[in-house]
Amino acid sequence: MDYEPVIGLEIHAELLTQSKMFCRCPVVDLTEAPPNSAVCPVCSGMPGTLPVINQVAVEYALRVALALDCEIFTTSIFERKNYFYPDLPKGFQISQYQHPLARHGRLPIRTGQGDVVIRIRRVHLEEDTGKSIHVSGWENGDEQESSKGGSQTLPSQTLPSQTLPSQIPPQTLPYSLIDLNRSGVPLLEIVTEPDMHSAEEVGAYARALRRLLRYLDVNSGDMQKGVLRIEPNISVRPAGSEELGTRTEVKNLNSFRALERAVEYEVERQIALLEAGEPVLQETVGWDESRQVTVPQRSKEEAHDYRYFPEPDLPPLVVEPDWVEAVRAGLPERPHERMQRLMHDLGLNEYDAALLTDEKAVADYFEAVLAAGPELDPKSAANWIGGELFGLINQAGLSIEEQHVSPARLAALLQLLEDGAVNQTSAKKVLAEMFASGKDAPSIVAAQGLDQVSDREAIESWVVQVLADHPEELGEYLEGKQAIANWLFGQVMRRAGGRANPRVVRDALERRLAELRSGG
Ligand code: ADP
Ligand code: ZN
Ligand code: MG
């Protein structure tokens, strides 16, 4: 029998606010800040403290919801989601359940099969949990993976020594450490309808969402740091059936590769079960990266297990329509629209348009180059940015914002190239020098004598000299070895120190060779 995979995604994105969701603690980088250095009574769950809603977090959430074409609810409600876990000091997480901030959105994606729209079920705000670090002893145990926000298991030797309290005895027993720096960080949950049907679609959706969040400046997209965590819900059903099969949910994936592999694995596993006449159990599973398999964690919890109820310490969240419209008006052009525009209005191919719009800063740079050089050919500008400039940037390990070649200066160089004042080879040298020194193109061209020679007489005399210096090769050519012409061309360019206009060289060489062939 043929089966159809059905997949819906829950994505948790940490919001790039200065402070936490319900207190004034700063949001810090977990890999840099000392553990528990950004913690106060509110986010460590002390009794008697009161949460206050972070307005910037709400604004960021609105940006995302609007960019996903969601319907925004003027009033939404924060609720308590009750469960016990050591990284959750209050014993509940403040989240939104029955009345989320937004619903019914859409995100267009592109796959090898064409364009598809993935429907967004809901977008809501919540707070992140702390982070547990389990030290040595536990292999693959529940303790490692049952953390809601993802935890880490380290062999004790790999733990930075300053994080070990001095009173901890030598390694006889496993133990856990809790870092509450992440506790209370604003978290946006974005849930899709079960609209995806392959690992490829899932990967394309997750990448498109990450790209959008980065365009909106609300999430760094730094997956290794766990700021974007993906949970696919996966089921299979007989092809043609409309009913949903029983699903499993894979927790906390933080790479696209792991996401795609986990989806492929679960689809195959579930099909094999159904083929064998066995049921798929509704459960939560984890992804074991080293073995490339999913492992059961717990049977699926139901909403009532969490005993949701409205957070009594917070008023309903009201977003006035005026505010929503102001946020909407401030949204940047969305990446998929920008990509379409670059293809349709500027004639870029899909590959170049995708490359240039993957990051907003790159797309901005590209368009700033065209604005500074309105005569430039967009395709050539795209090639120079995607080819030479990216090459230099990657080699130097910089971002487009960090490097020194301003859009206006790149435009000036490309204009010299288009005017024939430098040739391709020289322009590459000039760009490398601009990149390294921060100087502008005209001064580098002048200082290094890289201006292109188009002077016919000079070029013709180089041609004559080269032919005179290589009588043997010339003889072979005249006996019919056509390919020698290219070699001779290279010799003339060399004689010219790489600065000659290649078109003029080719003309002059062809003319001289034709004369010789006809006995001139
Ligand atoms: P929860 O996991 O919190 O119970 P939902 O029931 O709303 O939340 O579903 C979460 C995600 O699972 C959504 O993205 C939804 O599209 C997807 N989903 C629900 N049922 C199925 C199913 N049978 N197969 C695949 N995905 C599903
Ligand atoms: Zn705090
Ligand atoms: Mg779920």
Side-chain angles (χ1 to χ4, degrees), residues 27-64:
V27 172
V28 295
D29 187 328
L30 292 194
T31 61
E32 284 164 15
N36 299 306
S37 59
V39 175
C40 74
V42 174
C43 57
S44 60
M46 293 298 156
T49 57
L50 287 175
V52 177
I53 300 171
N54 179 338
Q55 184 175 349
V56 177
V58 178
E59 182 180 331
Y60 285 8
L62 282 176
R63 270 193 217 170
V64 177

Side-chain angles (χ1 to χ4, degrees), residues 15 17 19-24 42 50-62 74-79 94-96 99 101 125-127 184 186-187 311-319 323:
L15 296 176
T17 49
S19 58
K20 291 187 179 181
M21 187 66 222
F22 299 114
C23 63
R24 303 170 77 146
V42 174
L50 287 175
V52 177
I53 300 171
N54 179 338
Q55 184 175 349
V56 177
V58 178
E59 182 180 331
Y60 285 8
L62 282 176
T74 306
T75 303
S76 59
I77 308 279
F78 284 105
E79 299 201 39
I94 303 180
S95 181
Q96 296 190 311
H99 302 279
L101 180 69
L125 265 168
E126 56 188 35
E127 56 178 336
L187 204 57
E311 165 61 67
D313 291 338
L314 286 173
L317 173 61
V318 177
V319 292
W323 187 31

Side-chain angles (χ1 to χ4, degrees), residues 92 173 267 324 391 446 451 494:
F92 60 86
L173 287 170
V267 166
V324 175
D451 42 330
R494 241 175 84 182

